[in-house]
Amino acid sequence: MDFRITAEEQSVLFLIVEHLEGGNAPTVHELSRDADRNVAAEVASLRAKGWILARLVEGRETVIALSPLAVQALSNLRYGGRSGE
């Protein structure tokens, strides 16, 4: 897993978490709508880096889960690893 992500990827990752915590497996279209921009590149990058698990559901790329390491990394990022907050 590549732990280095851009600010844009981090923003999309937090959108994904919001959806998953709400019980929704978001499509790239839904994430793009929520971000007010196309986030397909960030989703593809997060998948390639091992942060998210995605698959085609009814012909749409859908994020179905965070990887186990991403769950731990996000916990650290949200609650312990962010400076200046």
Side-chain angles (χ1 to χ4, degrees):
M1 181 170 163
D2 184 349
F3 286 98
R4 296 168 296 173
I5 62 173
T6 66
E8 292 83 8
E9 291 167 343
Q10 181 177 318
S11 174
V12 172
L13 190 60
F14 285 136
L15 279 177
I16 291 168
V17 169
E18 287 177 26
H19 277 271
L20 293 174
E21 287 178 346
N24 177 47
T27 65
V28 172
H29 175 77
E30 290 171 322
L31 294 168
S32 294
R33 181 195 62 217
D34 292 350
D36 291 325
R37 62 185 179 82
N38 187 338
V39 298
E42 287 86 353
V43 171
S45 180
L46 288 167
R47 184 178 188 184
K49 291 177 179 181
W51 283 82
I52 61 173
L53 306 173
R55 67 177 181 168
L56 287 181
V57 176
E58 297 179 5
R60 294 179 183 233
E61 185 171 12
T62 303
V63 179
I64 58 170
L66 299 176
S67 71
L69 286 174
V71 171
Q72 184 60 49
L74 273 171
S75 178
N76 292 340
L77 189 60
R78 279 181 157 177
Y79 305 113
R82 295 177 108 182
S83 60
E85 290 188 6

